[in-house]
Amino acid sequence: MPSSTSSDQGEVQEPCILRFSDLDLKDTSLTNPSISLKAELDGITKKKYSFAKKKAFALFVKTKQVLAFECKEKLWKCCQQLFTDPVGIHKHVSTQHADEIYHQTAAILRQMAVTLSTSKSLRSTDRMNPLKESLTHSHEGSAWLPDISCFSPDLLISGHDCEEGEVLLYYCYQDLEDPHWVCAWQTALCQHLRLTGKVRIATEGINGTVGGSKLATRLYMEVMISCPLFKDYLCKDDFKTSKGGAHCFPELRVGVFEEIVPLGISPSKISYKKSGIHLSPGEFHKEVEKLLSQASQEQSDTILLDCRNFYESKIGRFQGCLAPDIRKFSYFPSYVDKNVELFREKRVLMYCTGGIRCERGSAYLKAKGVCKEVFQLKGGIHKYLEEFPDGFYKGKLFVFDERYALSYNNDVVSACSYCGAQWDQYKLCSTPQCRQLILTCPACEGQGCTACCVTCQNKGVKQASAPTQDSFKEECECTARRPRIPREPLPHSQLPINLEPRPTVGEDGPVLV
């Protein structure tokens, strides 16, 4: 877990706004530091001033960092200049942005004073009810919002250029007594930071995908790992970042649900607390490598299981995986029930986008009591691709926003639905009432092939002459011809040993089948 850093350690790359409770700021009236004022401060307070200035400098530099998946080295962009080493960007900020650092230092000192005061009051009430005292004193959701007065409003707004912003994906399983208060607070926090996206809250925890400027997402992350509700459960490694911004989502949606990921079963029956064994990306990579190196994977005692839906696995998946042909994660329990013999006496390696679906999916599979062991990829495909962009995962990573997919390698594993040419860029079906996704290459799209199936294509023609959308009933051939819950063929090694005809009872007596 991350912790506060003393000023003596000289950390310059880690932005920190809220967590200064371990600093003993004696002069809480200090709000506007200056060179002359610093000279008058006592030794202890000078250290706090130096610490705040370092943090202000580090935060400013961090907001200028450019995310580049194609290269592992860090890059910074400021004043239309690109810097490839820390010395260059640090020198530039020191000489060209002294005023911004000055004002940001003052803001951090103010926040330190406020946090110290809050920390003292919390310590006096911790033994009674720490969460209620620290959080529910403001049921309007205005508590625990970061100070953004020192930042230009432009820094909190990301345009359509992905270099200006990013998307955060995270989840945290933690029992919450008052999810409705958390909902109000999350709404206020996201609006405060100009974030869009989706946040699901339940008594079992929180699941969020939010987009905004890099400054906004970093402040959001800092608030989350500082909040008393989550600080013992969340750390920076739990957040997955990707290029994007607020434009990746049409709006902000925050709500309270029974589950933070829709498995369709009450958390009281299948709990995240009984999930599978977590494997780091490195450990998972070794397991997949071992599986793929076997001469006959069909005879193996290991199954590599994709917990996502067919939209996701169609454009990207691990080599040698079993990818269920299901439309929703809520179908997963029925899929397991229908194919339970497939998992008998098997070691199961599960994976999903960010790890959250595996938490309860693995718990459900374990509850069936048929597997040898159940493992899951910690951090999901997101974290795996950060370490192994050219590993065993091939194709794109599907995401549930207007980007549809992220690319970490050049592999294309899917094809155009019409001509069969290699293609992996989704678009929505051209019929407005339909929410199906379609893979249609530019050539086929140019020929008018823009719907997911013939039924929807005809709907589009009808709508042009009679635009009454409510009169159309949603029936897609592309989903109607697919079994809701597919049955997988058993490997030869798992077929019944006795294949002799066996008697059964029909309407006219025993027959052979």
Side-chain angles (χ1 to χ4, degrees):
M1 292 296 294
S3 60
S4 299
T5 308
S6 69
S7 59
D8 294 333
Q9 289 178 299
E11 182 182 4
V12 295
Q13 290 296 321
E14 194 88 352
C16 184
I17 291 296
L18 291 179
R19 290 177 300 146
F20 293 97
S21 56
D22 60 331
L23 299 177
D24 184 18
L25 182 62
K26 296 185 176 181
D27 184 4
T28 59
S29 64
L30 179 60
T31 60
N32 190 20
S34 65
I35 297 176
S36 60
L37 177 59
K38 181 183 177 183
E40 299 174 2
L41 300 178
D42 59 46
I44 295 178
T45 311
K46 280 184 180 180
K47 288 185 178 181
K48 306 306 177 282
Y49 172 81
S50 177
F51 178 83
K53 187 175 181 180
K54 287 180 180 179
K55 286 297 179 181
F57 190 91
L59 179 58
F60 189 90
V61 170
K62 194 73 173 178
T63 62
K64 302 302 179 182
Q65 188 174 330
V66 177
L67 288 177
F69 291 110
E70 62 275 5
C71 60
K72 295 183 178 180
E73 61 184 20
K74 291 184 178 180
L75 303 174
W76 296 265
K77 187 176 182 181
C78 188
C79 298
Q80 299 183 342
Q81 298 181 58
L82 189 65
F83 299 89
T84 58
D85 66 282
V87 175
I89 183 64
H90 289 175
K91 184 176 180 181
H92 171 80
V93 172
S94 297
T95 57
Q96 301 299 320
H97 298 281
D99 288 345
E100 289 97 323
I101 301 302
Y102 171 87
H103 292 295
Q104 197 163 318
T105 300
I108 290 178
L109 285 170
R110 286 197 298 269
Q111 188 63 53
M112 290 166 66
V114 171
T115 306
L116 176 67
S117 176
T118 303
S119 178
K120 287 181 177 179
S121 65
L122 288 181
R123 282 195 293 268
S124 65
T125 56
D126 259 353
R127 297 177 183 177
M128 296 182 291
N129 194 338
L131 294 182
K132 183 176 180 179
E133 291 295 328
S134 63
L135 290 175
T136 61
H137 64 275
S138 173
H139 285 275
E140 296 177 356
S142 60
W144 294 92
L145 301 183
D147 181 8
I148 58 174
S149 62
C150 57
F151 302 115
S152 165
D154 293 339
L155 290 175
L156 290 174
I157 300 174
S158 63
H160 289 279
D161 183 359
C162 288
E163 298 298 333
E164 298 178 5
E166 65 183 359
V167 171
L168 284 182
L169 172 67
Y170 75 97
Y171 69 90
C172 179
Y173 277 105
Q174 148 68 345
D175 295 340
L176 300 177
E177 294 183 4
D178 192 351
H180 291 281
W181 184 90
V182 177
C183 179
W185 167 59
Q186 279 291 307
T187 301
L189 176 60
C190 291
Q191 291 175 344
H192 186 65
L193 296 174
R194 314 292 198 274
L195 297 172
T196 61
K198 297 172 285 187
V199 182
R200 291 176 64 100
I201 301 151
T203 55
E204 64 174 352
I206 186 171
N207 174 21
T209 307
V210 295
S213 71
K214 292 179 181 178
L215 171 62
T217 54
R218 278 164 172 75
L219 287 173
Y220 179 87
M221 180 168 58
E222 192 63 37
V223 171
M224 290 300 296
I225 61 180
S226 304
C227 174
L229 283 173
F230 303 110
K231 68 178 182 179
D232 294 329
Y233 301 90
L234 270 178
C235 67
K236 288 187 177 180
D237 284 343
D238 294 320
F239 290 84
K240 299 93 181 174
T241 62
S242 57
K243 294 181 180 180
H247 63 276
C248 295
F249 306 90
E251 59 186 352
L252 172 66
R253 290 189 292 170
V254 184
V256 176
F257 301 83
E258 184 180 12
E259 309 170 87
I260 60 173
V261 63
L263 181 66
I265 300 177
S266 171
S268 62
K269 295 181 179 179
I270 298 295
S271 172
Y272 69 92
K273 297 176 182 178
K274 297 183 179 180
S275 63
I277 300 171
H278 291 72
L279 297 180
S280 68
E283 293 169 331
F284 196 84
H285 182 81
K286 290 180 181 178
E287 287 288 344
V288 176
E289 184 176 40
K290 186 192 304 181
L291 172 63
L292 296 179
S293 67
Q294 295 177 3
S296 175
Q297 293 179 31
E298 187 175 286
Q299 303 296 326
S300 174
D301 69 342
T302 301
I303 292 178
L304 181 57
L305 179 62
D306 194 323
C307 289
R308 304 170 302 158
N309 64 49
F310 65 78
Y311 285 128
E312 301 169 87
S313 59
K314 181 182 290 186
I315 64 171
R317 54 192 175 271
F318 274 95
Q319 294 173 261
C321 75
L322 171 62
D325 196 19
I326 55 178
R327 288 189 61 212
K328 301 178 181 179
F329 181 57
S330 57
Y331 295 176
F332 182 77
S334 298
Y335 174 83
V336 170
D337 293 347
K338 194 170 185 177
N339 297 280
V340 67
E341 288 301 318
L342 189 67
F343 303 104
R344 189 171 298 279
E345 294 302 311
K346 295 288 186 178
R347 298 172 70 252
V348 179
L349 303 172
M350 301 178 67
Y351 69 88
C352 60
T353 304
I356 186 171
R357 280 176 279 186
C358 286
E359 298 286 4
R360 295 188 63 219
S362 64
Y364 186 83
L365 187 55
K366 283 181 62 180
K368 304 304 291 184
V370 298
C371 301
K372 283 184 180 179
E373 294 174 298
V374 179
F375 302 92
Q376 62 190 80
L377 173 57
K378 185 177 181 181
I381 304 167
H382 253 290
K383 287 296 184 182
Y384 178 85
L385 287 174
E386 287 180 8
E387 291 191 32
F388 303 98
D390 297 312
F392 298 118
Y393 185 90
K394 303 300 180 182
K396 285 186 168 61
L397 173 59
F398 185 95
V399 290
F400 291 91
D401 56 58
E402 295 186 359
R403 298 171 297 175
Y404 293 130
L406 302 177
S407 179
Y408 290 80
N409 52 58
N410 296 321
D411 300 310
V412 178
V413 300
S414 54
C416 172
S417 301
Y418 288 92
C419 70
Q422 283 193 327
W423 190 251
D424 59 5
Q425 297 181 28
Y426 275 122
K427 288 188 176 180
L428 280 175
C429 174
S430 57
T431 303
Q433 311 92 313
C434 182
R435 301 301 297 171
Q436 304 295 321
L437 292 173
I438 177 177
L439 290 171
T440 176
C441 70
C444 292
E445 185 178 2
Q447 296 175 12
C449 301
T450 57
C452 64
C453 61
V454 175
T455 301
C456 271
Q457 197 77 48
N458 291 336
K459 282 182 183 179
V461 174
K462 292 179 182 178
Q463 186 184 3
S465 57
T468 54
Q469 295 186 18
D470 294 339
S471 65
F472 295 118
K473 181 180 179 181
E474 181 52 50
E475 294 177 354
C476 282
E477 292 179 358
C478 57
T479 55
R481 64 173 177 257
R482 175 184 287 107
R484 182 177 181 274
I485 308 296
R487 182 184 292 279
E488 306 289 353
L490 286 173
H492 181 75
S493 60
Q494 289 181 254
L495 291 175
I497 297 177
N498 182 11
L499 298 180
E500 294 295 324
R502 61 184 186 279
T504 186
V505 178
E507 293 182 353
D508 300 323
V511 295
L512 293 179
V513 295

